[in-house]
Amino acid sequence: METLIVWLTYQTYKPERENALQATLIYWMLPASFMYILIDGQEEIWFWGLALLMWRHIKRKPDNYETGVGIIFALALLTTKATFVFFLPALLVIVRRPIKMLLVMAAIGLPVLIFLYAKIGDLFLMPIQHTEQLMTPNLFSIVRPFTEVFVHIDETNSTIVNWLGLLVTMGVTSYMAFRGRTNAIGKTFPALFIATFACMMIFQASAPGAYLIAYLLAVVFEILDLRKTKDVVILLALSWLTVVQPFVNVYIGQPDYTNFAMLTKPFYLFELILQVLNVACFFWIVAKAYHKIVSSTTRAAL
């Protein structure tokens, strides 16, 4: 599936990007793409594959795309994870007929939900309940020594933290979409997808580093400038960090940094630094994606 998604990405960008083949090779050589697909078997790359199908449909039918996008989005929610819903609010801001898209999604999704509930009750919500577990690296995990000074967060009851992360993620990405609403959706769609899941990894306390694979391929093709050493170095650093940090975290016992005294231990301090660097790279990706959306809007206005 990854090979198919990479091939389709290459075919999509090839007409407008002369170094599309180079971008493909760089993606294949990244530590994160090797680790999370071949070793971990992470399926989040399907997120970009389904988003790519939506984007290609929009490019083919720029004046009447809501029905097709609604069908693909509904299928994405049914075949992957509920996490894909993070992309919905921002997408509804930039589509021309959001109500039409929602009605198409409801026509597909509601019968499935009714069938599931009739067969197994609310057990189909179990995957969503698993998101209550606090993970690393994200903004909450790196500022926790500060937040614990004021309020203690119980790892077994972190619902409020995750809901707050959900609202912030959707709010930030919806604002980005609003800023880019005057531009053609075909121009802003990939960058908005990247920004959505990068923001999720920053603000969602239950987001692990493995979610990078959901948008890593899109980053390489859409916002990375292969001519700039800085871009390539940060991409390599991010790819390395998201692979190494989880191993270090598990090796030292997956600590929760609830007080500053824990950081007197060298291993704990080292692991927290890895988390901080991870989150800094996520912010860099969001900034690059936001610039792509806003600069596209500016060019369209000119």
Side-chain angles (χ1 to χ4, degrees), residues 262-273:
M262 297 178 65
L263 302 181
T264 59
K265 297 183 178 181
F267 276 120
Y268 286 176
L269 180 61
F270 174 67
E271 197 271 333
L272 184 61
I273 291 174

Side-chain angles (χ1 to χ4, degrees), residues 199-218:
C199 282
M200 183 201 72
M201 294 185 68
I202 294 172
F203 300 115
Q204 197 70 18
S206 60
Y211 273 145
L212 174 68
I213 203 63
Y215 59 92
L216 180 61
L217 182 57

Side-chain angles (χ1 to χ4, degrees), residues 113-140:
L113 292 178
I114 293 172
F115 174 80
L116 287 173
Y117 187 78
K119 292 295 183 180
I120 60 175
D122 62 354
L123 290 178
F124 67 90
L125 296 174
M126 188 182 299
I128 299 177
Q129 295 169 353
H130 288 170
T131 62
E132 296 302 311
Q133 182 180 1
L134 298 178
M135 305 289 286
T136 63
N138 49 68
L139 188 60
F140 173 77

Side-chain angles (χ1 to χ4, degrees), residues 18 70 150 173 193 263 271:
E18 60 182 14
F150 304 98
T173 53
F193 172 85
L263 302 181
E271 197 271 333

Side-chain angles (χ1 to χ4, degrees), residues 47 77 80-87 131 196-197 200 211:
F47 286 8
L77 291 175
T80 57
K81 295 180 178 180
T83 311
F84 198 79
V85 79
F86 276 85
F87 189 41
T131 62
T196 296
F197 289 100
M200 183 201 72
Y211 273 145

